[in-house]
Amino acid sequence: MELDALGWCLLMVAAMSIGLSKAGFSGVSLISVYILTELFGGVKQVGVALPMLLLADIIVFPAFRKYGNWKEVWFLLPPTIVGGAAAVWVLTHFKDNEASMRPVVGVVILLMVILQVVRMWKPEQVHKLAMTKSFGMFAGLAGGLATVLANMAGPIQQLYLLSKKMEKMDLIGVGARFFLLVNFLKIPLYVEMDVMSRETLMMNAVAIPAIILGVWSGKTLLQKVPQRLFENLIVVFALLASVRLLFF
């Protein structure tokens, strides 16, 4: 798993994209997913990405600790674990068919995007749906599948919270708590799946400055972006994520 000069440059871009995504612009994670998939393959890239995601979570959590709450986290966590366990079973028993599962995640994200479009015309009805327990369970299960199969639970989680009319800073605060726990739980699973190694961890260590720069840049930009534009960016990037998973 050796990288040439171009490969290292691309890895730094992926690391910075992860930092930006964790600071609120989850759609930017598309860049990191694409780059890491090209460098390491569809299955191996999740193991390379996890330590970088986790480091970004550790940095972001204290930066947004004043925002959001743990209530949403404890509600989403159980179905997310169930969805993640199902995804691990798929990857363990059907590694050759991993690519066939990615469109499933793409369809889920696309459905969530359509819901946001409907929210423009029927805001109260969508809000009422988002507040139901069954919708939250669906979002949690889908997020669990997405985070293990493609490291793309961010768009699902953000679209779900957006449906509940959550302000951008609170949305990031909840996400910081949620993904810090989820990504810690994924460590033993990825080690067992043999997608993490000492070699990949050394690559992650080299990428630390780029991750920090991404988080700092994202938080600075987030404070300047209006709520409406922030919501539109989430929808646009989520749509791009679904298209990539469905067709590329």
Side-chain angles (χ1 to χ4, degrees), residues 128-215:
K128 194 176 296 184
L129 172 65
M131 297 301 290
T132 62
K133 186 175 181 180
S134 57
F135 186 74
M137 291 293 182
F138 169 77
L141 286 168
L145 283 168
T147 193
V148 173
L149 290 173
N151 275 330
M152 293 188 72
I156 294 176
Q157 188 250 6
Q158 286 198 337
L159 288 169
Y160 166 67
L161 296 177
L162 206 58
S163 300
K164 302 183 79 168
K165 299 182 178 179
M166 190 169 289
E167 293 293 319
K168 63 178 182 179
M169 299 304 283
D170 290 329
L171 189 151
I172 305 307
V174 172
R177 292 167 168 81
F178 177 73
F179 286 109
L180 182 63
L181 292 179
V182 169
N183 285 328
F184 262 118
L185 291 173
K186 284 159 63 178
I187 292 175
L189 298 176
Y190 282 11
V191 171
E192 180 65 25
M193 291 165 57
D194 195 30
V195 293
M196 290 176 62
S197 65
R198 181 176 298 180
E199 187 179 7
T200 61
L201 290 175
M202 290 299 293
M203 292 180 179
N204 297 144
V206 175
I208 289 175
I211 297 170
I212 294 173
L213 178 60
V215 171

Coordinates of all heavy atoms in Angstrom, one line a residue, residues 128-215:
K128 N -43.7 17.1 11.2 CA -44.5 16.2 12.0 C -44.0 14.7 11.8 O -43.9 14.0 12.8 CB -46.0 16.3 11.7 CG -46.9 15.6 12.6 CD -48.4 15.8 12.2 CE -48.7 17.3 12.3 NZ -50.2 17.5 12.0
L129 N -43.7 14.4 10.6 CA -43.1 13.1 10.2 C -41.8 12.9 10.9 O -41.5 11.8 11.5 CB -43.0 12.9 8.7 CG -42.3 11.6 8.2 CD1 -43.1 10.4 8.6 CD2 -42.1 11.7 6.7
A130 N -40.9 13.9 10.8 CA -39.6 13.8 11.4 C -39.6 13.7 12.9 O -38.6 13.1 13.4 CB -38.8 15.1 11.0
M131 N -40.6 14.1 13.5 CA -40.7 14.0 15.0 C -41.2 12.6 15.4 O -41.2 12.4 16.6 CB -41.6 15.1 15.5 CG -41.1 16.5 15.3 SD -39.5 16.9 15.9 CE -39.8 16.9 17.7
T132 N -41.6 11.8 14.5 CA -42.1 10.5 14.9 C -40.9 9.5 15.2 O -39.8 9.6 14.7 CB -42.9 9.8 13.8 OG1 -42.1 9.6 12.6 CG2 -44.1 10.7 13.5
K133 N -41.2 8.6 16.1 CA -40.2 7.6 16.5 C -39.8 6.7 15.3 O -38.6 6.4 15.2 CB -40.7 6.7 17.6 CG -39.7 5.8 18.2 CD -40.3 5.0 19.4 CE -39.2 4.1 20.0 NZ -39.8 3.4 21.2
S134 N -40.7 6.3 14.5 CA -40.4 5.4 13.4 C -39.5 6.0 12.4 O -38.6 5.4 11.8 CB -41.7 5.0 12.7 OG -42.5 6.1 12.2
F135 N -39.7 7.3 12.1 CA -38.8 8.0 11.1 C -37.4 8.1 11.7 O -36.4 7.9 11.0 CB -39.3 9.4 10.8 CG -38.5 10.1 9.8 CD1 -38.6 9.8 8.4 CD2 -37.6 11.2 10.1 CE1 -37.9 10.4 7.5 CE2 -36.9 11.8 9.1 CZ -37.0 11.5 7.8
G136 N -37.3 8.4 13.0 CA -36.0 8.4 13.7 C -35.3 7.0 13.6 O -34.1 7.0 13.4
M137 N -36.0 6.0 13.8 CA -35.5 4.6 13.7 C -35.0 4.3 12.3 O -33.9 3.8 12.1 CB -36.6 3.6 14.1 CG -36.9 3.6 15.6 SD -35.6 3.1 16.6 CE -36.3 3.1 18.2
F138 N -35.7 4.8 11.3 CA -35.3 4.6 9.9 C -34.0 5.3 9.6 O -33.1 4.8 9.0 CB -36.4 5.1 9.0 CG -36.0 5.2 7.5 CD1 -35.9 4.0 6.7 CD2 -35.7 6.4 7.0 CE1 -35.4 4.1 5.4 CE2 -35.3 6.5 5.7 CZ -35.1 5.4 4.9
A139 N -33.9 6.6 10.1 CA -32.7 7.4 9.9 C -31.5 6.7 10.6 O -30.4 6.7 10.0 CB -32.9 8.8 10.4
G140 N -31.7 6.2 11.8 CA -30.7 5.5 12.5 C -30.2 4.3 11.8 O -29.0 4.1 11.7
L141 N -31.1 3.4 11.4 CA -30.7 2.2 10.7 C -30.0 2.5 9.4 O -28.9 1.9 9.1 CB -32.0 1.4 10.3 CG -32.6 0.6 11.5 CD1 -34.0 0.1 11.1 CD2 -31.8 -0.5 11.9
A142 N -30.5 3.5 8.6 CA -29.9 3.9 7.4 C -28.5 4.5 7.6 O -27.5 4.2 6.9 CB -30.7 4.9 6.6
G143 N -28.4 5.2 8.7 CA -27.1 5.8 9.0 C -26.0 4.8 9.4 O -24.9 4.9 9.0
G144 N -26.5 3.7 10.1 CA -25.6 2.6 10.5 C -25.1 1.9 9.2 O -23.9 1.6 9.1
L145 N -26.0 1.6 8.3 CA -25.5 1.0 7.0 C -24.6 1.9 6.3 O -23.5 1.4 5.8 CB -26.8 0.7 6.1 CG -27.6 -0.5 6.5 CD1 -29.0 -0.4 5.7 CD2 -26.9 -1.8 6.2
A146 N -24.9 3.2 6.2 CA -24.1 4.1 5.4 C -22.7 4.3 6.0 O -21.7 4.4 5.3 CB -24.8 5.4 5.3
T147 N -22.6 4.4 7.3 CA -21.3 4.7 7.9 C -20.3 3.5 7.8 O -19.1 3.7 7.7 CB -21.5 5.0 9.4 OG1 -20.3 5.6 9.9 CG2 -21.8 3.9 10.3
V148 N -20.8 2.3 7.8 CA -19.9 1.1 7.7 C -19.6 0.8 6.2 O -18.5 0.6 5.9 CB -20.6 -0.1 8.4 CG1 -19.7 -1.4 8.1 CG2 -20.7 0.1 9.9
L149 N -20.6 0.9 5.4 CA -20.4 0.5 4.0 C -19.7 1.6 3.2 O -18.9 1.3 2.2 CB -21.8 0.3 3.3 CG -22.5 -1.0 3.7 CD1 -23.9 -1.0 3.1 CD2 -21.8 -2.2 3.3
A150 N -19.9 2.9 3.5 CA -19.3 3.9 2.7 C -18.8 5.2 3.4 O -18.4 6.1 2.8 CB -20.4 4.4 1.7
N151 N -18.8 5.1 4.8 CA -18.4 6.3 5.5 C -19.2 7.6 5.1 O -18.7 8.7 5.0 CB -16.9 6.6 5.4 CG -16.1 5.8 6.4 OD1 -16.6 5.5 7.5 ND2 -14.9 5.5 6.0
M152 N -20.5 7.4 4.8 CA -21.4 8.5 4.3 C -22.7 8.6 5.1 O -23.7 8.9 4.6 CB -21.7 8.3 2.8 CG -20.4 8.4 2.0 SD -20.8 8.4 0.2 CE -21.5 10.0 0.0
A153 N -22.6 8.4 6.4 CA -23.8 8.6 7.3 C -24.0 10.1 7.5 O -25.1 10.5 7.9 CB -23.6 7.9 8.6
G154 N -23.0 11.0 7.3 CA -23.2 12.4 7.5 C -24.4 13.0 6.9 O -25.2 13.7 7.5
P155 N -24.5 12.8 5.5 CA -25.7 13.4 4.8 C -27.0 12.9 5.4 O -28.0 13.7 5.5 CB -25.5 12.9 3.4 CG -24.0 12.8 3.2 CD -23.6 12.2 4.6
I156 N -27.1 11.6 5.7 CA -28.4 11.1 6.3 C -28.7 11.7 7.6 O -29.8 12.2 7.9 CB -28.3 9.6 6.4 CG1 -28.2 8.9 5.0 CG2 -29.5 9.0 7.2 CD1 -28.0 7.4 5.1
Q157 N -27.7 11.8 8.5 CA -27.9 12.3 9.8 C -28.3 13.8 9.7 O -29.2 14.3 10.4 CB -26.6 12.1 10.7 CG -26.8 12.5 12.1 CD -26.0 13.8 12.5 OE1 -25.5 14.4 11.6 NE2 -26.1 14.1 13.8
Q158 N -27.6 14.6 8.9 CA -27.9 16.0 8.8 C -29.3 16.2 8.1 O -30.0 17.2 8.6 CB -26.8 16.7 7.9 CG -25.5 16.9 8.7 CD -24.6 17.9 8.1 OE1 -24.7 18.2 6.9 NE2 -23.7 18.4 8.9
L159 N -29.6 15.5 7.1 CA -31.0 15.6 6.5 C -32.1 15.3 7.5 O -33.1 16.0 7.6 CB -31.1 14.8 5.3 CG -30.3 15.2 4.1 CD1 -30.3 14.1 3.0 CD2 -30.8 16.5 3.5
Y160 N -31.8 14.3 8.4 CA -32.8 14.0 9.4 C -33.0 15.1 10.4 O -34.1 15.5 10.7 CB -32.3 12.7 10.1 CG -33.1 12.4 11.4 CD1 -34.4 12.1 11.4 CD2 -32.4 12.5 12.7 CE1 -35.1 11.9 12.6 CE2 -33.1 12.3 13.8 CZ -34.4 12.0 13.8 OH -35.1 11.7 15.0
L161 N -31.9 15.6 10.9 CA -32.0 16.7 11.9 C -32.5 18.0 11.2 O -33.2 18.8 11.9 CB -30.6 17.0 12.5 CG -30.0 15.9 13.3 CD1 -28.6 16.3 13.8 CD2 -30.9 15.5 14.5
L162 N -32.2 18.2 10.0 CA -32.8 19.3 9.2 C -34.3 19.3 9.1 O -35.0 20.3 9.2 CB -32.2 19.4 7.8 CG -32.1 20.7 7.1 CD1 -31.2 21.7 7.9 CD2 -31.5 20.5 5.7
S163 N -34.8 18.0 9.0 CA -36.3 17.8 8.9 C -36.9 18.2 10.2 O -38.1 18.6 10.3 CB -36.6 16.4 8.6 OG -36.0 16.0 7.4
K164 N -36.1 18.2 11.3 CA -36.7 18.6 12.6 C -36.5 20.1 12.9 O -36.6 20.5 14.1 CB -36.0 17.7 13.7 CG -36.2 16.3 13.5 CD -35.6 15.4 14.6 CE -36.5 15.4 15.8 NZ -36.0 14.4 16.8
K165 N -36.1 20.8 11.9 CA -35.9 22.3 12.0 C -34.8 22.7 12.9 O -34.9 23.7 13.7 CB -37.2 23.0 12.4 CG -38.4 22.8 11.4 CD -39.6 23.5 11.8 CE -40.8 23.3 10.8 NZ -42.0 24.0 11.3
M166 N -33.8 21.9 13.0 CA -32.7 22.2 13.9 C -31.7 23.3 13.3 O -31.4 23.3 12.1 CB -31.9 20.9 14.2 CG -30.9 21.1 15.3 SD -30.2 19.5 15.8 CE -31.6 18.8 16.7
E167 N -31.3 24.3 14.1 CA -30.4 25.3 13.7 C -29.0 24.7 13.4 O -28.7 23.7 14.0 CB -30.3 26.4 14.8 CG -31.6 27.2 15.0 CD -31.9 28.0 13.8 OE1 -31.0 28.6 13.2 OE2 -33.1 28.1 13.5
K168 N -28.3 25.4 12.5 CA -27.0 24.8 12.0 C -26.0 24.5 13.2 O -25.4 23.4 13.1 CB -26.4 25.7 11.0 CG -26.0 27.1 11.5 CD -25.3 27.9 10.5 CE -24.8 29.3 11.0 NZ -24.2 30.1 10.0
M169 N -25.9 25.4 14.1 CA -24.9 25.1 15.2 C -25.3 24.0 16.1 O -24.4 23.1 16.5 CB -24.7 26.4 16.0 CG -24.2 27.6 15.2 SD -22.6 27.3 14.3 CE -21.4 27.4 15.7
D170 N -26.6 23.9 16.4 CA -27.1 22.7 17.2 C -26.9 21.4 16.4 O -26.6 20.4 16.9 CB -28.5 22.9 17.6 CG -28.7 24.0 18.6 OD1 -27.7 24.2 19.4 OD2 -29.7 24.7 18.6
L171 N -27.2 21.5 15.1 CA -27.1 20.3 14.2 C -25.6 19.8 14.2 O -25.4 18.6 14.3 CB -27.5 20.7 12.8 CG -27.6 19.6 11.7 CD1 -28.7 20.1 10.7 CD2 -26.3 19.4 11.0
I172 N -24.7 20.7 14.2 CA -23.3 20.2 14.2 C -22.9 19.7 15.6 O -22.2 18.8 15.7 CB -22.3 21.4 13.8 CG1 -22.7 22.0 12.4 CG2 -20.9 20.9 13.8 CD1 -22.8 21.0 11.3
G173 N -23.5 20.4 16.6 CA -23.2 19.9 18.0 C -23.7 18.5 18.2 O -23.0 17.7 18.8
V174 N -24.9 18.2 17.7 CA -25.4 16.8 17.8 C -24.6 15.8 17.0 O -24.2 14.7 17.5 CB -26.9 16.7 17.4 CG1 -27.4 15.3 17.3 CG2 -27.8 17.5 18.3
G175 N -24.2 16.2 15.8 CA -23.4 15.4 15.0 C -22.0 15.1 15.6 O -21.5 14.0 15.4
A176 N -21.4 16.1 16.2 CA -20.1 15.9 16.9 C -20.2 14.8 17.9 O -19.3 14.0 18.0 CB -19.6 17.2 17.4
R177 N -21.2 14.9 18.7 CA -21.4 13.9 19.8 C -21.7 12.5 19.2 O -21.1 11.5 19.6 CB -22.6 14.3 20.7 CG -22.4 15.5 21.6 CD -23.7 16.0 22.1 NE -23.6 17.0 23.2 CZ -23.4 18.3 22.9 NH1 -23.3 18.7 21.7 NH2 -23.3 19.1 23.9
F178 N -22.6 12.5 18.3 CA -23.0 11.2 17.7 C -21.9 10.5 17.0 O -21.7 9.3 17.3 CB -24.2 11.5 16.7 CG -24.7 10.3 15.9 CD1 -25.5 9.4 16.6 CD2 -24.4 10.1 14.6 CE1 -25.9 8.3 15.9 CE2 -24.9 9.0 13.9 CZ -25.6 8.1 14.6
F179 N -21.2 11.1 16.1 CA -20.1 10.4 15.3 C -18.9 10.1 16.2 O -18.1 9.2 15.8 CB -19.8 11.2 14.1 CG -20.8 11.2 13.0 CD1 -21.6 12.2 12.7 CD2 -21.0 10.0 12.4 CE1 -22.6 12.2 11.7 CE2 -22.0 9.9 11.4 CZ -22.8 11.0 11.1
L180 N -18.7 10.9 17.2 CA -17.6 10.5 18.1 C -17.8 9.1 18.7 O -16.9 8.3 18.7 CB -17.4 11.6 19.2 CG -16.3 11.3 20.2 CD1 -14.9 11.4 19.5 CD2 -16.4 12.4 21.4
L181 N -19.0 8.9 19.2 CA -19.3 7.6 19.7 C -19.4 6.5 18.6 O -18.8 5.4 18.8 CB -20.7 7.6 20.4 CG -20.8 8.5 21.7 CD1 -22.3 8.4 22.2 CD2 -19.9 7.9 22.7
V182 N -20.0 6.8 17.5 CA -20.2 5.8 16.5 C -18.8 5.3 15.9 O -18.5 4.1 15.7 CB -21.0 6.3 15.3 CG1 -21.0 5.4 14.1 CG2 -22.5 6.4 15.8
N183 N -17.9 6.3 15.7 CA -16.6 6.0 15.1 C -15.7 5.2 16.1 O -14.9 4.4 15.7 CB -15.9 7.2 14.6 CG -16.6 7.7 13.3 OD1 -17.0 6.9 12.5 ND2 -16.6 9.0 13.1
F184 N -15.9 5.5 17.4 CA -15.1 4.7 18.4 C -15.6 3.2 18.3 O -14.8 2.3 18.4 CB -15.3 5.3 19.8 CG -14.2 6.1 20.2 CD1 -14.4 7.5 20.5 CD2 -12.9 5.6 20.4 CE1 -13.4 8.3 20.9 CE2 -11.8 6.4 20.8 CZ -12.1 7.8 21.0
L185 N -16.9 3.1 18.2 CA -17.5 1.7 18.2 C -17.0 0.9 16.9 O -17.0 -0.3 17.0 CB -19.0 1.8 18.2 CG -19.6 2.3 19.5 CD1 -21.1 2.4 19.3 CD2 -19.4 1.3 20.6
K186 N -16.7 1.6 15.9 CA -16.3 1.0 14.6 C -14.9 0.4 14.6 O -14.5 -0.4 13.8 CB -16.5 1.9 13.4 CG -17.9 2.1 13.0 CD -18.1 3.4 12.2 CE -17.3 3.4 11.0 NZ -17.6 4.7 10.2
I187 N -14.1 0.9 15.6 CA -12.6 0.5 15.6 C -12.5 -1.0 15.7 O -11.8 -1.6 14.8 CB -11.9 1.2 16.7 CG1 -11.8 2.7 16.5 CG2 -10.5 0.6 16.9 CD1 -11.2 3.5 17.6
P188 N -13.0 -1.7 16.7 CA -12.8 -3.2 16.8 C -13.4 -3.9 15.6 O -12.8 -4.9 15.1 CB -13.5 -3.6 18.1 CG -14.5 -2.5 18.4 CD -13.8 -1.2 17.8
L189 N -14.5 -3.4 15.0 CA -15.1 -4.0 13.8 C -14.1 -4.0 12.6 O -13.9 -5.0 11.9 CB -16.4 -3.3 13.5 CG -17.5 -3.4 14.5 CD1 -18.7 -2.6 14.1 CD2 -17.9 -4.8 14.8
Y190 N -13.5 -2.8 12.4 CA -12.6 -2.7 11.3 C -11.3 -3.4 11.4 O -10.7 -3.9 10.5 CB -12.4 -1.2 11.0 CG -13.5 -0.5 10.3 CD1 -14.7 -1.1 10.1 CD2 -13.3 0.8 9.8 CE1 -15.8 -0.4 9.5 CE2 -14.3 1.5 9.2 CZ -15.6 0.9 9.0 OH -16.6 1.5 8.4
V191 N -10.9 -3.5 12.7 CA -9.7 -4.3 13.0 C -10.0 -5.8 12.7 O -9.1 -6.5 12.0 CB -9.2 -4.1 14.4 CG1 -8.1 -5.1 14.8 CG2 -8.7 -2.7 14.7
E192 N -11.1 -6.2 13.1 CA -11.5 -7.6 12.8 C -11.7 -7.9 11.3 O -11.3 -9.0 10.9 CB -12.9 -7.9 13.5 CG -13.4 -9.3 13.4 CD -12.5 -10.4 14.0 OE1 -11.7 -10.1 15.0 OE2 -12.5 -11.5 13.6
M193 N -12.1 -6.9 10.6 CA -12.3 -7.0 9.2 C -11.0 -6.9 8.4 O -10.9 -7.0 7.2 CB -13.3 -6.0 8.6 CG -14.7 -6.2 9.1 SD -15.7 -4.8 8.8 CE -15.5 -4.5 7.1
D194 N -9.9 -6.6 9.1 CA -8.6 -6.4 8.5 C -8.5 -5.3 7.5 O -7.8 -5.5 6.5 CB -8.1 -7.8 7.9 CG -6.6 -7.8 7.6 OD1 -5.9 -7.1 8.4 OD2 -6.2 -8.5 6.7
V195 N -9.2 -4.2 7.8 CA -9.1 -3.0 6.9 C -8.3 -1.9 7.5 O -8.1 -0.8 7.0 CB -10.4 -2.5 6.5 CG1 -11.2 -3.5 5.6 CG2 -11.3 -2.1 7.7
M196 N -7.8 -2.2 8.8 CA -6.9 -1.2 9.5 C -5.6 -2.0 9.8 O -5.6 -3.1 10.2 CB -7.6 -0.7 10.7 CG -8.7 0.3 10.5 SD -9.5 0.8 12.0 CE -8.2 1.7 12.8
S197 N -4.5 -1.3 9.7 CA -3.2 -1.9 10.0 C -2.2 -0.8 10.5 O -2.6 0.4 10.5 CB -2.6 -2.6 8.8 OG -2.3 -1.6 7.8
R198 N -1.1 -1.2 11.0 CA 0.0 -0.2 11.4 C 0.3 0.7 10.2 O 0.6 1.9 10.4 CB 1.2 -1.0 11.9 CG 2.3 -0.1 12.4 CD 3.5 -0.9 12.9 NE 3.1 -1.6 14.1 CZ 3.9 -2.4 14.8 NH1 5.2 -2.5 14.4 NH2 3.5 -3.1 15.9
E199 N 0.3 0.1 9.0 CA 0.7 0.9 7.8 C -0.3 2.0 7.6 O 0.1 3.2 7.3 CB 0.8 0.0 6.6 CG 1.3 0.7 5.4 CD 1.4 -0.3 4.2 OE1 1.0 -1.4 4.3 OE2 1.9 0.2 3.1
T200 N -1.6 1.7 7.7 CA -2.6 2.7 7.4 C -2.6 3.8 8.5 O -2.8 4.9 8.3 CB -4.0 2.1 7.3 OG1 -4.4 1.4 8.6 CG2 -4.1 1.1 6.2
L201 N -2.3 3.3 9.8 CA -2.2 4.3 10.9 C -1.1 5.3 10.7 O -1.2 6.5 11.1 CB -2.1 3.6 12.2 CG -3.3 2.8 12.7 CD1 -3.0 2.0 13.9 CD2 -4.5 3.7 12.9
M202 N 0.0 4.8 10.1 CA 1.1 5.7 9.8 C 0.7 6.8 8.8 O 1.1 8.0 8.9 CB 2.3 4.9 9.3 CG 3.0 4.1 10.4 SD 3.6 5.0 11.8 CE 5.0 5.9 11.0
M203 N 0.0 6.4 7.8 CA -0.5 7.3 6.8 C -1.4 8.3 7.5 O -1.4 9.5 7.2 CB -1.3 6.6 5.7 CG -0.5 5.7 4.8 SD -1.5 4.9 3.6 CE -0.2 4.0 2.7
N204 N -2.3 7.8 8.4 CA -3.2 8.7 9.1 C -2.4 9.8 9.9 O -2.8 11.0 10.0 CB -4.1 7.9 10.1 CG -5.0 7.0 9.3 OD1 -5.3 5.9 9.8 ND2 -5.5 7.3 8.2
A205 N -1.3 9.3 10.5 CA -0.5 10.3 11.4 C 0.1 11.4 10.5 O 0.1 12.6 11.0 CB 0.6 9.5 12.1
V206 N 0.5 11.1 9.3 CA 1.1 12.1 8.4 C 0.0 13.1 8.0 O 0.3 14.3 7.8 CB 1.7 11.4 7.2 CG1 2.1 12.5 6.2 CG2 2.8 10.5 7.6
A207 N -1.3 12.7 8.0 CA -2.4 13.5 7.5 C -2.9 14.4 8.6 O -3.8 15.2 8.3 CB -3.5 12.7 7.0
I208 N -2.5 14.3 9.9 CA -3.0 15.1 11.0 C -3.1 16.6 10.7 O -4.1 17.2 11.0 CB -2.3 14.8 12.3 CG1 -2.6 13.3 12.8 CG2 -2.6 15.8 13.4 CD1 -1.8 12.9 14.0
P209 N -2.0 17.2 10.3 CA -2.1 18.7 10.1 C -3.2 19.1 9.1 O -3.9 20.1 9.2 CB -0.7 19.0 9.5 CG 0.2 17.9 10.0 CD -0.6 16.7 10.0
A210 N -3.4 18.3 8.0 CA -4.4 18.6 7.0 C -5.8 18.5 7.6 O -6.7 19.3 7.3 CB -4.3 17.6 5.8
I211 N -6.0 17.5 8.5 CA -7.3 17.3 9.2 C -7.6 18.6 10.1 O -8.7 19.1 10.1 CB -7.3 16.1 10.1 CG1 -7.1 14.8 9.2 CG2 -8.6 16.0 10.9 CD1 -6.9 13.5 10.0
I212 N -6.6 19.0 10.9 CA -6.7 20.1 11.7 C -7.1 21.4 10.9 O -8.0 22.2 11.3 CB -5.5 20.4 12.6 CG1 -5.3 19.2 13.5 CG2 -5.5 21.7 13.4 CD1 -4.0 19.2 14.3
L213 N -6.4 21.6 9.8 CA -6.6 22.7 8.9 C -8.0 22.7 8.4 O -8.7 23.7 8.3 CB -5.6 22.7 7.8 CG -5.8 23.9 6.7 CD1 -5.6 25.2 7.4 CD2 -4.7 23.7 5.6
G214 N -8.5 21.5 8.0 CA -9.9 21.4 7.5 C -10.9 21.7 8.5 O -11.9 22.4 8.2
V215 N -10.7 21.2 9.8 CA -11.7 21.5 10.9 C -11.7 23.1 11.1 O -12.8 23.7 11.2 CB -11.3 20.8 12.1 CG1 -12.2 21.3 13.3 CG2 -11.5 19.3 11.9

